[in-house]
Amino acid sequence: MFALMADAAVFLRGPHPRRRELAVSVEEWLWRQLDDPFAQPMTLEAAARDLDISVRSIQLAMEEHFGLSFVRLERLVRLHQVHGALVQGAVTSISEAATRHGFWHLGRFSRYYREVFGRRSSRTVRRARTSRRWRLPRADLDAAARSTRSAPPADRRPLPLTQRVGPCAVGPIADGGEPPKDLDASVGSSDLVTRKAVAGCDGRRESMKQLQSPLSWWLRSTRVVCLAILLSARLGGTAHAQEQVQPQPPDLIIPPTLLLPNYDRIYPGLTESLEGGAYIARARSAPALFYNPAGIATVERTVLNASAQGYEATVLGGSGFAHTSPISSFTTIPSFVGVVLGKEVIDWDNVRLGFSVSNPVSWDQAAAAGTVPQQGQRVSYSVHSSFKTLVPGASIGWAATPALRFGGSIEFPYTTISDTGQLSGAITTTTTSQGALATLAASGSTLQIRGVGSVQWQANDWLELGFIVRTPGLSILKSGALQYEYLSSLNAGSRQAFFQDTGAAFEYRTPWEAGAGVSFDWGVFGFEVDVRYHSGTHTYTLLGSTKTGTVVDTTSGVPVTTVFALNGVKYRALTVWNGSLGAHVVLTKNFTLSAGSYLDYSPVDSTTTVFRRVDMIGFRTGVSFQIDKVSASVGVGWEHGTGSDDLVPSNVPIPGASSNLTLDTFSLLFSFSFRF
């Protein structure tokens, strides 16, 4: 369905000098994948990862150089592989050649083959068996792409013989003709598909000679009889594909998520939150349970602190769709509750205990978008994504000297991820109507345990230093669920795909984390600078399953059922360095004005499809005050983030220039603390 939209799309992008080189690299990558029996599926994301380029760059190169999408290029390459196998008699049947090269729906394969080569695959087989001479290709891949895109499918006609593309089977048919002696002169030097076809012609001559022996004739006749029996049985009822499990069909459309796994955008506390979380060196009281457990050693009497990120509104832009809901969320995000037991509870001079529950990661966003490329065409998209981490913990702080303190914690981070997305599209003309709908519901949760160690040192009256390290999380419990449905209604029939696993395997790895801060304090004015480090991870399966899904295709005239294995969702976290800067001015004994800024870079690898890569920068300001035993603060905040890509799926070619996702978050912050 979306391929028809690409036929009508008008891309207003200018030429780029490197896109031709990139397009050729992608084509070479496709051939390498076909030659490697252990290669991964030929998806757009896999090509971007192996070539170390972005998905959007590949799309632009394909559109500009070949005039077609990555999916169509990949299909053309596979069609040439099938054509070569049929010409040299390397397979026993057409269905074997088709399924061996990834065409699981024979009716659709027949249509693709006829559109590209101008004849049925059965005719190619007959010609290969009777022909005694080779005919060399004379058209290149670009001509094939343009010819297959020159008119809507309903109006396409077989191509002239001089324009048919295929290894050793293209060109005018003339009895007595001989192949050109200079193979390189008969094909374009830039056409890799044609060059590979020509390179294989010499070896195929010997195979064709064997077809003339009586034994080969008898074997061919036997295969024809068997094929006729199988076709008769198929026409009598529902046809099923091969029993073995097939790879996931590459053309299944997955609605993209709006998940952000950024580490450092939630900062609890009174002045701590207002100063952008720059409090590793000077953390005191209950918020020290979050920033640096060594700071609780300074508490004399029991203190309770409760803070919230307040109310947060997020504005979404640059989705890639023409129309997008402006505000994706308006939520209240609780972030921290902590208590430190004072000397009146536990009579220890230099040791304090504390307990806390924090939300260092909290992301809950929804969006609705749509595009109307032309009259009678539409694409609509909706998503609701949530990524949260709840961390209960127990801490201890020890003051070795009045100036040197040590701390430690045991934390139990509980991470939950959920995403529900829907993508649909339709094309309606005066005589036909086609549509497709894809839905995805995925979730996962994991409970881990990790250790924390920290230190604070007050070098003199105006300088303090702090350091904290958190170990990677060790998984205790984990669970996942995944459901995917796809339905397309085409002129030739329909296609349905379904997968469900309520016990899917889920894993989220929490990496090493370290932070260091230096604080300067000169009476009524002070500031602190913090640096935070998060290590990267190897590529691992975030969400996977051992169960299989089914695809039912009726475009061939009868239902054809295929069983496929789901591709696991891969993820790799990059190493990131974040920072915070906070400052304050003491206005009076009870009032303090604070401000801060922070950077929150995304750990998402550019080839990852499950998470969105958005780098954030935030600013906060507000006032804190103290009345008797109660302390409180109120402030405002603003975050801005820019992503590396939009929300349009890579295999849905929507017209118009690509864009970068933007997020703007406006927050109302408040917190209070009570000292017993």
Side-chain angles (χ1 to χ4, degrees):
M1 177 201 69
F2 294 99
L4 295 177
M5 296 175 57
D7 294 337
V10 178
F11 294 92
L12 302 178
R13 303 182 179 93
H16 194 286
R18 296 188 57 187
R19 286 177 184 161
R20 175 180 175 85
E21 179 182 354
L22 174 57
V24 174
S25 299
V26 174
E27 184 187 351
E28 293 174 346
W29 179 87
L30 288 171
W31 281 107
R32 289 197 301 270
Q33 295 296 103
L34 288 171
D35 294 336
D36 184 4
F38 303 101
Q40 58 186 327
M42 295 189 299
T43 62
L44 181 60
E45 292 75 18
R49 180 173 59 254
D50 290 350
L51 299 176
D52 195 22
I53 51 180
S54 67
V55 168
R56 182 61 67 182
S57 296
I58 294 181
Q59 292 174 324
L60 295 177
M62 294 297 97
E63 295 161 0
E64 181 175 300
H65 181 59
F66 290 123
L68 72 171
S69 66
F70 175 91
V71 174
R72 286 195 170 188
L73 175 65
E74 181 261 352
R75 187 169 65 207
L76 277 173
V77 172
R78 288 190 290 120
L79 283 170
H80 278 269
Q81 290 286 87
V82 175
H83 186 85
L86 295 178
V87 168
Q88 65 177 329
V91 292
T92 59
S93 66
I94 296 175
S95 60
E96 178 186 351
T99 55
R100 178 181 296 180
H101 295 90
F103 294 98
W104 314 112
H105 311 287
L106 300 182
R108 183 169 294 179
F109 161 76
S110 298
R111 186 174 76 251
Y112 291 156
Y113 190 96
R114 187 165 58 252
E115 290 173 353
V116 174
F117 298 103
R119 58 177 176 270
R120 290 185 172 88
S121 55
S122 58
R123 184 179 175 187
T124 298
V125 173
R126 289 196 301 270
R127 180 175 298 176
R129 290 172 179 172
T130 58
S131 176
R132 295 178 179 273
R133 294 178 175 86
W134 290 91
R135 311 178 217 288
L136 298 177
R138 288 202 284 254
D140 60 13
L141 182 61
D142 295 4
R146 289 192 296 270
S147 63
T148 58
R149 294 169 55 88
S150 59
D155 299 331
R156 283 176 179 153
R157 298 292 184 269
L159 300 176
L161 292 177
T162 56
Q163 293 182 346
R164 297 177 188 171
V165 179
C168 303
V170 181
I173 300 175
D175 293 336
E178 292 293 334
K181 300 185 180 301
D182 185 2
L183 298 182
D184 294 333
S186 64
V187 292
S189 60
S190 63
D191 186 357
L192 182 60
V193 174
T194 307
R195 293 202 308 272
K196 284 184 173 284
V198 174
C201 288
D202 292 335
R204 294 170 188 168
R205 288 195 183 94
E206 299 301 325
S207 300
M208 290 298 296
K209 291 179 181 179
Q210 297 176 5
L211 295 177
Q212 312 308 320
S213 66
L215 177 61
S216 298
W217 177 88
W218 181 84
L219 291 175
R220 294 197 308 275
S221 301
T222 303
R223 287 198 297 268
V224 171
V225 174
C226 294
L227 179 60
I229 295 175
L230 291 176
L231 289 176
S232 300
R234 179 184 176 189
L235 293 175
T238 300
H240 292 271
Q242 297 178 351
E243 293 297 329
Q244 67 267 27
V245 178
Q246 307 295 344
Q248 178 179 320
D251 56 341
L252 292 184
I253 299 174
I254 306 297
T257 76
L258 195 52
L259 292 169
L260 265 67
N262 295 29
Y263 300 122
D264 299 315
R265 59 178 300 269
I266 304 295
Y267 296 108
L270 295 169
T271 58
E272 295 89 348
S273 174
L274 300 179
E275 296 186 26
Y279 252 81
I280 295 178
R282 53 197 170 113
R284 303 289 189 271
S285 190
L289 297 167
F290 178 87
Y291 294 99
N292 191 329
I296 68 174
T298 62
V299 174
E300 291 296 330
R301 299 187 60 83
T302 299
V303 59
L304 171 68
N305 180 277
S307 65
Q309 190 70 356
Y311 297 97
E312 184 178 72
T314 302
V315 178
L316 175 67
S319 67
F321 294 88
H323 308 285
T324 307
S325 54
I327 298 180
S328 61
S329 70
F330 187 82
T331 58
T332 300
I333 308 175
S335 60
F336 180 79
V337 175
V339 59
V340 179
L341 304 180
K343 190 174 182 180
E344 77 280 9
V345 178
I346 301 178
D347 191 12
W348 294 342
D349 291 334
N350 301 324
V351 178
R352 294 291 179 265
L353 299 179
F355 305 91
S356 64
V357 178
S358 61
N359 287 90
V361 178
S362 183
W363 179 261
D364 193 325
Q365 301 294 324
T371 294
V372 181
Q374 292 184 2
Q375 184 177 1
Q377 300 180 359
R378 70 158 183 85
V379 178
S380 60
Y381 164 71
S382 63
V383 64
H384 182 195
S385 301
S386 175
F387 188 113
K388 296 182 179 181
T389 299
L390 180 71
V391 184
S395 304
I396 184 172
W398 173 51
T401 68
L404 183 62
R405 299 175 290 276
F406 297 92
S409 301
I410 297 294
E411 297 180 341
F412 299 88
Y414 179 69
T415 301
T416 60
I417 298 177
S418 66
D419 179 80
T420 302
Q422 177 175 295
L423 184 68
S424 67
I427 297 179
T428 303
T429 65
T430 56
T431 58
T432 63
S433 179
Q434 303 178 79
L437 173 65
T439 61
L440 174 69
S443 62
S445 61
T446 178
L447 176 64
Q448 300 175 327
I449 182 173
R450 67 190 306 192
V452 181
S454 65
V455 61
Q456 284 182 336
W457 178 48
Q458 185 170 356
N460 51 49
D461 293 340
W462 54 271
L463 177 63
E464 288 187 83
L465 304 175
F467 179 78
I468 185 172
V469 60
R470 287 184 168 90
T471 66
L474 177 63
S475 179
I476 302 175
L477 300 172
K478 52 188 176 182
S479 64
L482 178 62
Q483 178 173 308
Y484 173 76
E485 294 183 72
Y486 176 77
L487 174 63
S488 62
S489 176
L490 307 174
N491 294 332
S494 64
R495 189 179 184 214
Q496 308 171 42
F498 180 78
F499 178 90
Q500 185 181 51
D501 186 0
T502 57
F506 174 79
E507 180 180 13
Y508 177 74
R509 298 181 182 178
T510 305
W512 280 97
E513 177 185 343
V518 54
S519 171
F520 302 90
D521 191 358
W522 294 285
V524 298
F525 174 75
F527 73 94
E528 179 173 335
V529 178
D530 289 353
V531 175
R532 292 179 173 85
Y533 163 82
H534 301 271
S535 68
T537 66
H538 298 292
T539 301
Y540 64 94
T541 301
L542 181 75
L543 188 63
S545 175
T546 58
K547 292 190 175 182
T548 58
T550 58
V551 176
V552 180
D553 192 292
T554 64
T555 56
S556 61
V558 293
V560 178
T561 301
T562 302
V563 179
F564 69 92
L566 182 74
N567 295 336
V569 179
K570 303 295 184 179
Y571 176 59
R572 180 172 76 97
L574 302 177
T575 298
V576 295
W577 292 85
N578 294 327
S580 299
L581 172 63
H584 65 272
V585 176
V586 179
L587 302 178
T588 67
K589 179 181 178 180
N590 295 328
F591 288 86
T592 301
L593 178 64
S594 301
S597 178
Y598 57 90
L599 296 175
D600 183 21
Y601 288 107
S602 173
V604 176
D605 182 71
S606 59
T607 60
T608 299
T609 58
V610 64
F611 294 125
R612 309 249 62 91
R613 179 176 177 84
V614 179
D615 297 325
M616 309 286 289
I617 182 173
F619 302 91
R620 296 179 178 181
T621 187
V623 61
S624 59
F625 53 90
Q626 180 176 357
I627 303 175
D628 197 12
K629 296 182 178 181
V630 177
S631 300
S633 66
V634 61
V636 294
W638 171 64
E639 288 178 326
H640 175 73
T642 302
S644 58
D645 202 356
D646 53 35
L647 296 176
V648 178
S650 58
N651 49 357
V652 179
I654 293 179
S658 62
S659 58
N660 293 328
L661 185 69
T662 61
L663 294 170
D664 289 278
T665 300
F666 303 90
S667 304
L668 174 64
L669 313 170
F670 55 85
S671 176
F672 75 92
S673 176
F674 183 80
R675 186 181 303 274
F676 292 89

